[in-house]
Amino acid sequence: MRTVQYDPQELVKLLRKRKIATMPELKAALETQVDSTVFRKLRELKYRTSYSHRGSYYTLDRIARFDARGLWSFRSVLFSRYGTLVSTVEGFVDDSEAGYFVGELDNELGVGVKEPLLRLVRAGRIAREKVSGLYLYCSSNRARRKQQTRARKTEMAEQGEMRSIAVSAMLLDELKAALVLFFSLLDEKQRRLYAGLESLKYGHGGDRRIAGLLGVDVSTVARGRGELLMRDVELERVRKPGAGRKPLEKKRQKSSLPSRS
Protein backbone atom coordinates (compact mmCIF):
# COMPACT_ATOMS: atom_id res chain seq x y z
CA MET A 1 0.00 0.00 0.00
CA ARG A 2 1.34 3.37 -1.02
CA THR A 3 2.17 5.75 1.83
CA VAL A 4 0.44 9.12 1.65
CA GLN A 5 2.90 12.02 1.53
CA TYR A 6 1.93 15.25 3.29
CA ASP A 7 3.67 18.40 2.16
CA PRO A 8 4.42 20.80 5.05
CA GLN A 9 4.55 23.65 2.54
CA GLU A 10 0.77 23.53 2.48
CA LEU A 11 0.86 24.65 6.10
CA VAL A 12 3.35 27.38 5.24
CA LYS A 13 1.07 28.70 2.49
CA LEU A 14 -1.92 28.77 4.84
CA LEU A 15 -0.07 30.48 7.69
CA ARG A 16 1.61 33.04 5.44
CA LYS A 17 -1.82 34.01 4.22
CA ARG A 18 -3.70 33.92 7.53
CA LYS A 19 -0.82 34.39 10.06
CA ILE A 20 -2.54 32.06 12.54
CA ALA A 21 -4.75 29.00 12.22
CA THR A 22 -6.63 26.42 14.27
CA MET A 23 -6.08 22.67 14.16
CA PRO A 24 -9.16 22.02 11.95
CA GLU A 25 -7.84 24.59 9.47
CA LEU A 26 -4.38 23.03 9.44
CA LYS A 27 -5.82 19.54 8.94
CA ALA A 28 -7.87 20.82 6.04
CA ALA A 29 -4.76 22.31 4.45
CA LEU A 30 -2.94 18.95 4.70
CA GLU A 31 -6.07 16.99 3.80
CA THR A 32 -5.80 14.78 6.87
CA GLN A 33 -7.99 13.99 9.85
CA VAL A 34 -5.14 13.07 12.15
CA ASP A 35 -3.79 15.62 14.67
CA SER A 36 -0.47 13.83 15.05
CA THR A 37 0.19 14.20 11.32
CA VAL A 38 -0.23 17.97 11.59
CA PHE A 39 2.02 18.15 14.66
CA ARG A 40 4.71 16.10 12.91
CA LYS A 41 4.75 18.53 9.98
CA LEU A 42 4.61 21.59 12.28
CA ARG A 43 7.69 20.39 14.13
CA GLU A 44 9.60 20.45 10.86
CA LEU A 45 8.65 24.12 10.49
CA LYS A 46 9.32 25.41 14.06
CA TYR A 47 5.88 26.46 15.21
CA ARG A 48 4.28 28.26 18.17
CA THR A 49 1.07 27.55 20.05
CA SER A 50 -0.96 30.46 21.42
CA TYR A 51 -0.93 30.89 25.19
CA SER A 52 -4.37 32.44 25.05
CA HIS A 53 -7.58 30.80 23.78
CA ARG A 54 -6.53 27.54 25.46
CA GLY A 55 -3.68 27.04 23.02
CA SER A 56 -6.00 26.47 20.08
CA TYR A 57 -4.12 28.67 17.58
CA TYR A 58 -0.83 28.01 15.79
CA THR A 59 1.72 30.07 13.90
CA LEU A 60 5.32 29.81 12.73
CA ASP A 61 8.43 31.41 14.22
CA ARG A 62 9.11 33.12 10.89
CA ILE A 63 5.67 34.80 11.01
CA ALA A 64 5.45 35.90 14.64
CA ARG A 65 6.75 39.41 15.44
CA PHE A 66 7.69 39.19 19.11
CA ASP A 67 8.24 42.40 21.06
CA ALA A 68 10.99 43.05 23.60
CA ARG A 69 9.07 41.04 26.19
CA GLY A 70 8.84 38.07 23.85
CA LEU A 71 5.10 38.51 23.19
CA TRP A 72 3.11 38.80 19.96
CA SER A 73 -0.59 39.47 19.47
CA PHE A 74 -2.62 38.93 16.32
CA ARG A 75 -6.37 39.54 16.29
CA SER A 76 -6.42 39.27 20.10
CA VAL A 77 -4.69 35.86 19.99
CA LEU A 78 -1.52 35.91 22.10
CA PHE A 79 1.76 34.11 21.49
CA SER A 80 4.97 33.96 23.50
CA ARG A 81 8.58 32.98 22.89
CA TYR A 82 8.29 30.89 26.06
CA GLY A 83 5.50 28.76 24.56
CA THR A 84 2.46 27.81 26.64
CA LEU A 85 0.82 29.99 29.28
CA VAL A 86 2.45 28.02 32.11
CA SER A 87 5.89 28.32 30.51
CA THR A 88 5.32 32.03 29.82
CA VAL A 89 4.31 32.72 33.41
CA GLU A 90 7.35 30.82 34.69
CA GLY A 91 9.67 32.68 32.31
CA PHE A 92 8.30 36.10 33.22
CA VAL A 93 8.57 35.43 36.96
CA ASP A 94 12.12 34.07 36.68
CA ASP A 95 13.29 36.99 34.52
CA SER A 96 11.61 39.77 36.51
CA GLU A 97 13.71 42.24 38.52
CA ALA A 98 11.24 42.51 41.39
CA GLY A 99 8.88 39.53 41.04
CA TYR A 100 5.19 39.86 40.19
CA PHE A 101 1.93 40.27 42.03
CA VAL A 102 -0.99 38.44 40.39
CA GLY A 103 -2.67 41.59 39.07
CA GLU A 104 0.56 42.87 37.55
CA LEU A 105 1.15 39.66 35.62
CA ASP A 106 -2.51 39.57 34.52
CA ASN A 107 -2.04 43.00 32.96
CA GLU A 108 1.35 42.13 31.48
CA LEU A 109 0.17 38.97 29.73
CA GLY A 110 -3.42 40.00 29.02
CA VAL A 111 -4.92 36.83 30.54
CA GLY A 112 -5.68 35.48 34.01
CA VAL A 113 -2.62 33.85 35.56
CA LYS A 114 -3.72 32.88 39.07
CA GLU A 115 -4.22 29.19 38.25
CA PRO A 116 -0.89 28.67 36.42
CA LEU A 117 0.92 30.55 39.20
CA LEU A 118 -0.47 28.18 41.82
CA ARG A 119 0.38 25.14 39.67
CA LEU A 120 3.96 26.36 39.31
CA VAL A 121 4.28 27.00 43.06
CA ARG A 122 2.98 23.53 43.89
CA ALA A 123 5.44 22.03 41.40
CA GLY A 124 8.31 24.00 42.97
CA ARG A 125 9.10 25.75 39.69
CA ILE A 126 8.54 29.21 41.20
CA ALA A 127 8.16 30.49 44.79
CA ARG A 128 6.14 33.15 46.55
CA GLU A 129 6.83 35.52 49.42
CA LYS A 130 4.44 37.73 51.38
CA VAL A 131 5.17 41.41 50.86
CA SER A 132 2.87 44.01 52.44
CA GLY A 133 0.19 41.34 52.91
CA LEU A 134 0.23 40.18 49.28
CA TYR A 135 1.90 37.20 47.64
CA LEU A 136 4.84 38.18 45.47
CA TYR A 137 5.72 35.46 42.96
CA CYS A 138 9.47 35.01 42.55
CA SER A 139 12.13 32.71 41.19
CA SER A 140 12.56 29.32 42.80
CA ASN A 141 16.28 30.06 43.08
CA ARG A 142 16.89 31.29 46.63
CA ALA A 143 19.53 33.90 45.79
CA ARG A 144 17.49 35.24 42.89
CA ARG A 145 14.36 35.32 45.06
CA LYS A 146 16.12 37.40 47.72
CA GLN A 147 17.19 39.92 45.07
CA GLN A 148 13.65 40.16 43.74
CA THR A 149 11.99 40.66 47.13
CA ARG A 150 14.63 43.23 48.15
CA ALA A 151 14.08 45.14 44.90
CA ARG A 152 10.32 45.03 45.37
CA LYS A 153 10.45 46.38 48.92
CA THR A 154 12.74 49.19 47.81
CA GLU A 155 10.41 49.97 44.91
CA MET A 156 7.34 50.06 47.17
CA ALA A 157 9.11 52.31 49.68
CA GLU A 158 10.00 54.75 46.89
CA GLN A 159 6.42 54.67 45.59
CA GLY A 160 5.18 55.40 49.12
CA GLU A 161 7.42 58.46 49.27
CA MET A 162 6.17 59.63 45.90
CA ARG A 163 2.54 59.22 47.01
CA SER A 164 3.33 61.20 50.16
CA ILE A 165 4.85 63.99 48.07
CA ALA A 166 1.81 63.98 45.77
CA VAL A 167 -0.59 64.21 48.74
CA SER A 168 1.46 67.05 50.24
CA ALA A 169 1.35 68.90 46.93
CA MET A 170 -2.41 68.42 46.74
CA LEU A 171 -2.87 69.74 50.27
CA LEU A 172 -0.62 72.71 49.46
CA ASP A 173 -2.79 73.55 46.46
CA GLU A 174 -5.90 73.37 48.63
CA LEU A 175 -4.25 75.64 51.20
CA LYS A 176 -3.39 78.18 48.52
CA ALA A 177 -6.98 78.12 47.27
CA ALA A 178 -8.24 78.69 50.82
CA LEU A 179 -5.86 81.65 51.29
CA VAL A 180 -7.03 83.26 48.07
CA LEU A 181 -10.68 82.75 49.05
CA PHE A 182 -10.13 84.23 52.51
CA PHE A 183 -8.21 87.17 50.99
CA SER A 184 -11.13 87.97 48.70
CA LEU A 185 -13.45 88.42 51.70
CA LEU A 186 -11.36 91.19 53.29
CA ASP A 187 -11.59 94.94 52.71
CA GLU A 188 -8.73 96.89 51.12
CA LYS A 189 -6.86 97.66 54.35
CA GLN A 190 -7.28 94.14 55.72
CA ARG A 191 -5.99 92.69 52.46
CA ARG A 192 -2.87 94.84 52.60
CA LEU A 193 -2.13 93.86 56.19
CA TYR A 194 -2.87 90.17 55.60
CA ALA A 195 -0.60 90.12 52.56
CA GLY A 196 2.14 91.76 54.64
CA LEU A 197 1.68 89.19 57.41
CA GLU A 198 2.02 86.25 54.99
CA SER A 199 5.11 87.87 53.46
CA LEU A 200 6.76 88.04 56.89
CA LYS A 201 6.39 84.26 57.21
CA TYR A 202 8.48 83.69 54.08
CA GLY A 203 11.23 86.19 54.84
CA HIS A 204 13.44 87.27 51.94
CA GLY A 205 11.50 87.30 48.67
CA GLY A 206 8.20 86.97 50.49
CA ASP A 207 6.71 90.16 49.01
CA ARG A 208 7.04 88.93 45.44
CA ARG A 209 5.90 85.41 46.31
CA ILE A 210 2.75 86.54 48.12
CA ALA A 211 2.00 89.15 45.45
CA GLY A 212 2.04 86.38 42.82
CA LEU A 213 -0.13 84.09 44.94
CA LEU A 214 -2.78 86.69 45.85
CA GLY A 215 -2.68 88.64 42.60
CA VAL A 216 -1.74 92.03 44.07
CA ASP A 217 1.05 94.52 43.45
CA VAL A 218 4.36 93.90 45.22
CA SER A 219 4.28 97.43 46.62
CA THR A 220 0.95 96.67 48.30
CA VAL A 221 2.44 93.70 50.09
CA ALA A 222 5.52 95.70 51.08
CA ARG A 223 3.35 98.50 52.45
CA GLY A 224 1.29 96.10 54.55
CA ARG A 225 4.43 94.42 55.85
CA GLY A 226 5.93 97.79 56.75
CA GLU A 227 2.80 98.90 58.60
CA LEU A 228 2.88 95.73 60.68
CA LEU A 229 6.56 96.08 61.51
CA MET A 230 6.16 99.75 62.45
CA ARG A 231 2.93 98.98 64.26
CA ASP A 232 1.45 101.73 62.17
CA VAL A 233 -2.05 100.31 62.37
CA GLU A 234 -5.04 102.30 63.62
CA LEU A 235 -7.21 100.22 65.83
CA GLU A 236 -10.77 100.84 64.88
CA ARG A 237 -13.85 99.94 66.84
CA VAL A 238 -15.38 96.77 65.58
CA ARG A 239 -18.87 98.04 66.25
CA LYS A 240 -20.27 101.46 65.64
CA PRO A 241 -21.73 103.30 68.61
CA GLY A 242 -25.22 102.10 69.29
CA ALA A 243 -24.81 98.89 67.36
CA GLY A 244 -25.45 95.50 68.84
CA ARG A 245 -28.20 94.20 71.04
CA LYS A 246 -29.89 96.60 73.37
CA PRO A 247 -29.24 95.99 77.06
CA LEU A 248 -32.04 94.28 78.87
CA GLU A 249 -33.63 96.46 81.55
CA LYS A 250 -34.51 94.75 84.73
CA LYS A 251 -38.19 95.10 85.24
CA ARG A 252 -39.44 95.81 88.69
CA GLN A 253 -41.98 93.43 90.00
CA LYS A 254 -45.20 95.13 91.11
CA SER A 255 -45.75 94.64 94.76
CA SER A 256 -49.16 93.25 95.55
CA LEU A 257 -51.23 95.47 97.87
CA PRO A 258 -53.17 93.85 100.66
CA SER A 259 -56.80 93.49 99.73
CA ARG A 260 -59.28 95.54 101.63
CA SER A 261 -61.74 93.63 103.53
Side-chain angles (χ1 to χ4, degrees):
M1 184 176 178
R2 186 177 179 181
T3 304
V4 178
Q5 298 292 323
Y6 296 100
D7 186 1
Q9 290 305 310
E10 295 301 323
L11 300 181
V12 175
K13 290 178 185 177
L14 174 66
L15 291 171
R16 278 179 176 171
K17 180 180 179 181
R18 305 191 61 173
K19 306 299 183 187
I20 61 176
T22 61
M23 178 57 70
E25 292 168 338
L26 296 174
K27 288 194 291 188
L30 279 183
E31 297 182 351
T32 180
Q33 297 298 319
V34 183
D35 289 6
S36 60
T37 300
V38 175
F39 281 122
R40 186 169 64 252
K41 296 303 175 182
L42 282 174
R43 282 193 290 272
E44 296 176 17
L45 301 171
K46 295 184 179 180
Y47 74 101
R48 298 281 174 176
T49 304
S50 67
Y51 72 80
S52 67
H53 298 76
R54 298 182 179 275
S56 59
Y57 285 86
Y58 302 84
T59 192
L60 301 178
D61 277 0
R62 68 184 81 174
I63 292 172
R65 295 292 180 266
F66 295 110
D67 60 20
R69 301 170 299 165
L71 303 181
W72 178 60
S73 174
F74 185 79
R75 294 178 182 172
S76 78
V77 181
L78 304 170
F79 293 83
S80 162
R81 286 191 184 279
Y82 296 98
T84 65
L85 177 57
V86 171
S87 296
T88 301
V89 169
E90 182 180 15
F92 265 67
V93 169
D94 279 338
D95 295 343
S96 66
E97 293 296 324
Y100 277 106
F101 292 122
V102 175
E104 292 175 334
L105 201 50
D106 282 346
N107 292 332
E108 189 80 8
L109 298 182
V111 294
V113 298
K114 186 175 182 179
E115 184 180 340
L117 280 170
L118 293 177
R119 286 171 56 188
L120 287 166
V121 170
R122 285 195 289 266
R125 292 164 62 179
I126 63 172
R128 63 181 184 179
E129 299 282 345
K130 267 201 172 181
V131 177
S132 297
L134 297 174
Y135 279 119
L136 180 71
Y137 291 87
C138 310
S139 171
S140 59
N141 180 276
R142 180 175 297 181
R144 178 66 175 155
R145 183 164 67 251
K146 286 184 177 180
Q147 291 177 351
Q148 290 173 325
T149 53
R150 189 184 306 116
R152 174 62 66 155
K153 289 176 181 178
T154 301
E155 178 184 294
M156 293 178 71
E158 291 174 351
Q159 289 175 349
E161 290 177 5
M162 292 301 294
R163 280 194 295 269
S164 178
I165 292 171
V167 170
S168 297
M170 182 179 67
L171 293 176
L172 182 59
D173 288 341
E174 291 178 355
L175 176 59
K176 289 179 180 178
L179 290 178
V180 172
L181 175 61
F182 175 72
F183 184 74
S184 68
L185 301 176
L186 305 176
D187 61 31
E188 183 178 347
K189 181 178 181 180
Q190 290 169 335
R191 289 182 183 182
R192 184 173 68 249
L193 294 174
Y194 178 69
L197 176 63
E198 290 298 325
S199 175
L200 287 171
K201 294 178 181 178
Y202 284 104
H204 180 71
D207 289 357
R208 189 170 300 279
R209 189 168 185 175
I210 293 300
L213 173 63
L214 299 178
V216 297
D217 193 84
V218 176
S219 61
T220 300
V221 182
R223 182 182 169 191
R225 177 172 51 79
E227 289 175 352
L228 290 172
L229 291 174
M230 298 298 294
R231 292 177 172 78
D232 185 17
V233 181
E234 293 182 5
L235 297 177
E236 298 178 351
R237 296 184 59 168
V238 177
R239 291 178 179 170
K240 295 179 180 179
R245 295 180 61 185
K246 293 182 179 181
L248 295 175
E249 294 182 0
K250 199 171 183 181
K251 293 183 179 180
R252 291 183 179 179
Q253 292 183 353
K254 295 182 180 180
S255 57
S256 57
L257 296 176
S259 59
R260 293 180 181 180
S261 54

